[in-house]
Amino acid sequence: MSTPANESYGLLSDDDDVLLFKDIPESACRHLPRNFLIHLVALGAIRTGDLLASPKLVLSWLLHAAGVPAAFSAWLVPIRESDSMAPQILVAHWIRKAPRRMNYWVFGGLVQALALLGIWAAVAGLPPLAAGFS
């Protein structure tokens, strides 16, 4: 059956309609083109979000533009790098047990989006020193 998802998948992948994994039933393979495109769009959105919120560039610029003292910009990357694994360690046990992990992925994306909105609100609505501490 020729659908836009199947045609796009055919153009973007090197899949010759060969079942590569013996553990996946043939019936599940018909979902592959749609899931491939959804995954591709999701990864593109995640990468774009990562670049837009990069503490190495964008957040530093945002703090500078808001008049936050430069000392706060110096702490962005060390805090992000040191704390990035802590939440993953705390929830990894439950995520590994889950039969469907998509909900965790969506929840994490929503939390990140809310955090970015909080950063924007703090920079836009607080005095510079308070914005730096928030």
Side-chain angles (χ1 to χ4, degrees):
M1 179 179 200
S2 180
T3 66
N6 288 347
E7 291 178 22
S8 298
Y9 176 73
L11 290 171
L12 294 171
S13 73
D14 193 20
D15 189 5
D16 294 333
D17 228 10
V18 177
L19 185 61
L20 298 175
F21 301 100
K22 306 274 188 250
D23 297 339
I24 299 174
E26 184 79 31
S27 61
C29 291
R30 65 187 154 105
H31 301 289
L32 183 64
R34 179 180 161 274
N35 292 343
F36 174 83
L37 293 174
I38 289 171
H39 190 70
L40 189 66
V41 169
L43 288 177
I46 288 169
R47 181 70 178 142
T48 302
D50 286 345
L51 291 173
L52 289 174
S54 170
K56 299 171 188 167
L57 179 65
V58 177
L59 290 179
S60 301
W61 169 83
L62 182 63
L63 292 178
H64 175 73
V68 175
F72 289 97
S73 294
W75 283 100
L76 284 175
V77 174
I79 288 172
R80 179 181 180 261
E81 296 301 322
S82 66
D83 291 343
S84 66
M85 293 301 290
Q88 293 177 33
I89 292 169
L90 295 174
V91 299
H93 177 71
W94 292 294
I95 293 174
R96 275 192 225 107
K97 286 184 173 183
R100 235 180 129 181
R101 299 176 185 173
M102 181 189 77
N103 295 336
Y104 292 101
W105 190 24
V106 170
F107 178 74
L110 290 174
V111 169
Q112 285 182 336
L114 290 173
L116 286 174
L117 288 174
I119 291 169
W120 174 81
V123 169
L126 296 174
L129 192 58
F133 278 111
S134 65

